[in-house]
Amino acid sequence: MATRIVKNRELALKIGYVATDWNYPITFDEHIARAEGWNVDIIERDGQPIGAMFERNGEVHCSILPQWRRKWLTKGLLKQIIERPGFYTRVDDGHDYMYGILARLGMVSRPDGTVGRI
């Protein structure tokens, strides 16, 4: 199965909205406004959208549809994501398991609350 990042902002915004576990209700229009200034791309598996990747100035976030969680990430895709210049991310409340995954990838928690390379 081929998993890849595909440029299609309009579809990525829709998939990202559906795939995100919001901490509080948010409208699609609010989601669009929050995504202003971010590069938003589709993550697809064999041509099927399975999530969205949001990137701005090295900060990266992925929102994955529930049925693909814990089985979407391939080594090749991971390499594409974390080898982006200045890569870092933030771990949202309720996703604390990500700290362990990121630590195994050589990432460290930073004083500003982000996780990335030293």
Side-chain angles (χ1 to χ4, degrees):
M1 287 187 245
T3 305
R4 63 192 188 126
I5 299 168
V6 177
K7 298 250 180 248
N8 184 336
R9 183 180 177 83
E10 185 177 330
L11 180 58
L13 285 167
K14 290 175 185 174
I15 296 293
Y17 178 73
V18 172
T20 300
D21 293 332
W22 300 102
N23 291 332
Y24 51 87
I26 182 173
T27 67
F28 184 68
D29 288 338
E30 290 169 325
H31 170 64
I32 296 290
R34 286 181 172 194
E36 187 67 33
W38 289 77
N39 296 318
V40 187
D41 298 320
I42 285 288
I43 299 172
E44 71 173 32
R45 165 92 41 106
D46 295 332
Q48 176 186 355
I50 63 170
M53 184 180 78
F54 299 79
E55 186 273 329
R56 179 177 64 188
N57 300 324
E59 183 174 356
V60 176
H61 298 277
C62 296
S63 292
I64 306 301
L65 293 169
Q67 64 269 31
W68 286 99
R69 293 178 187 166
R70 300 187 190 266
K71 56 185 173 183
W72 66 279
L73 194 57
T74 63
K75 288 181 184 179
L77 183 63
L78 177 63
K79 186 175 180 178
Q80 285 181 41
I81 293 170
I82 68 172
E83 288 186 356
R84 291 171 179 268
F87 168 84
Y88 71 97
T89 193
R90 295 177 192 279
V91 176
D92 291 336
D93 291 339
H95 298 273
D96 292 341
Y97 65 91
M98 286 301 301
Y99 287 111
I101 293 169
L102 292 166
R104 286 191 298 277
L105 295 170
M107 306 296 152
V108 296
S109 294
R110 299 173 173 173
D112 66 357
T114 64
V115 179
R117 292 187 187 92
I118 296 175

